[in-house]
Amino acid sequence: MRLDAIDRKILAALQRDGRMSIADLADEVGLSPSPCLRRVRALEEVGLISRYVAVLDQRKAGLPVSVFVSIKLERQKEEALDAFSAAIRAWPEVLECYLMTGQRDYLLRVVAADLDAYERFLKQKLTRLEGIASIESSFSLEQVKYSHVLPLP
């Protein structure tokens, strides 16, 4: 799908406030409500808008600890990668997981209530997975920037 200036305005507005009414959105982007709604539905149908969510404050939700975990697998065969990925997808503590290039195979962002909760996650889940060669945890001291807004070209 090729985006025009109005599509970009719609996406920028919805990234700021996904609960905005179609009337308010239409007013902001300079359309009447019906064509605006058609554009939003088209953006949803092609998957550019994948879902609408509430963004929670991590600290207020009782999960102030962010841990970045680097994982190296014993083998990088497809079966090992698939098994690791399947296990990670099932764990709610893991908010993000990336298959990486370089010295480590995966980078995870894990949230926890405190250091004890992270230690439980590490011992009861992560270290019990087959095929892990090494685990390196780095604790975030401060979140300097967090955004869910994509910079549209």
Side-chain angles (χ1 to χ4, degrees):
M1 178 176 191
R2 193 161 180 92
L3 300 177
D4 65 15
I6 293 175
D7 291 328
R8 284 186 188 84
K9 286 180 184 179
I10 289 170
L11 292 169
L14 288 175
Q15 284 188 98
R16 282 192 318 275
D17 181 4
R19 293 184 59 174
M20 148 182 295
S21 72
I22 288 296
D24 289 342
L25 179 60
D27 187 52
E28 184 171 327
V29 302
L31 291 175
S32 61
S34 291
C36 184
L37 179 59
R38 279 195 297 275
R39 284 179 179 252
V40 169
R41 286 194 176 139
L43 293 166
E44 291 169 345
E45 287 172 12
V46 298
L48 193 53
I49 298 174
S50 61
R51 65 186 183 276
Y52 297 90
V53 299
V55 179
L56 304 183
D57 182 295
Q58 184 178 331
R59 288 189 175 281
K60 291 179 182 174
L63 298 164
V65 177
S66 284
V67 187
F68 293 87
V69 185
S70 295
I71 305 288
K72 182 161 184 61
L73 299 181
E74 291 171 350
R75 296 177 300 146
Q76 289 76 30
K77 292 191 175 182
E78 187 174 355
E79 307 82 44
L81 298 172
D82 291 345
F84 181 83
S85 296
I88 291 300
R89 283 188 192 98
W91 296 338
E93 301 93 338
V94 179
L95 297 189
E96 299 176 70
C97 176
Y98 300 93
L99 179 60
M100 305 294 290
T101 62
Q103 294 182 4
R104 300 296 176 152
D105 296 309
Y106 286 94
L107 179 65
L108 284 58
R109 182 165 78 94
V110 177
V111 294
D114 53 33
L115 294 179
D116 290 337
Y118 177 70
E119 183 180 8
R120 281 191 303 278
F121 167 79
L122 186 66
K123 288 180 177 178
Q124 295 173 5
K125 292 183 178 178
L126 199 53
T127 59
R128 293 184 183 186
L129 281 181
E130 293 292 322
I132 294 180
S134 66
I135 300 169
E136 183 179 301
S137 302
S138 298
F139 291 83
S140 169
L141 299 176
E142 175 186 5
Q143 186 179 70
V144 176
K145 179 181 179 180
Y146 172 80
S147 178
H148 60 276
V149 178
L150 294 175
L152 298 173

